[in-house]
Amino acid sequence: MSAYTATVTVRLKRGVLDPEAETTKRALERLGFELESLRSADRFEIDLEAEDAAAAADRADEMAERLLANPTIHDYEVDVEER
């Protein structure tokens, strides 16, 4: 078994209203920043042990599917690094 850190980034799918991002975008524009769009995301860092990076990614993917993301409204990505 090796130690890994899996990073799961969860964001709303395009077309789903993102009020947090809209509020932040308007505030940035009031501060003088020009931007085309802004999306918010949640990031989870999971320390775990697994046989290999693929097994760690599979476990993190299952966590995302079962709890961290709602596949109906969220997209997510999983990145794994050995610790």
Side-chain angles (χ1 to χ4, degrees), residues 12 16-24 26:
L12 291 168
V16 176
L17 292 178
D18 189 346
E20 179 182 3
E22 281 302 314
T23 300
T24 304
R26 284 194 304 272

Side-chain angles (χ1 to χ4, degrees), residues 6-73:
T7 302
V8 180
T9 304
V10 179
R11 63 181 55 88
L12 291 168
K13 290 183 176 186
R14 293 208 181 272
V16 176
L17 292 178
D18 189 346
E20 179 182 3
E22 281 302 314
T23 300
T24 304
K25 180 180 180 288
R26 284 194 304 272
L28 287 169
E29 290 170 339
R30 281 193 304 272
L31 291 171
F33 294 99
E34 293 181 24
L35 55 147
E36 187 176 318
S37 65
L38 180 76
R39 296 173 64 200
S40 63
D42 291 321
R43 186 174 101 176
F44 301 91
E45 294 180 357
I46 306 162
D47 292 334
L48 55 103
E49 293 200 3
E51 292 294 323
D52 55 29
D58 287 345
R59 285 184 52 207
D61 188 70
E62 184 179 358
M63 292 176 200
E65 284 286 329
R66 293 182 64 187
L67 180 68
L68 303 177
N70 175 346
T72 303
I73 62 170

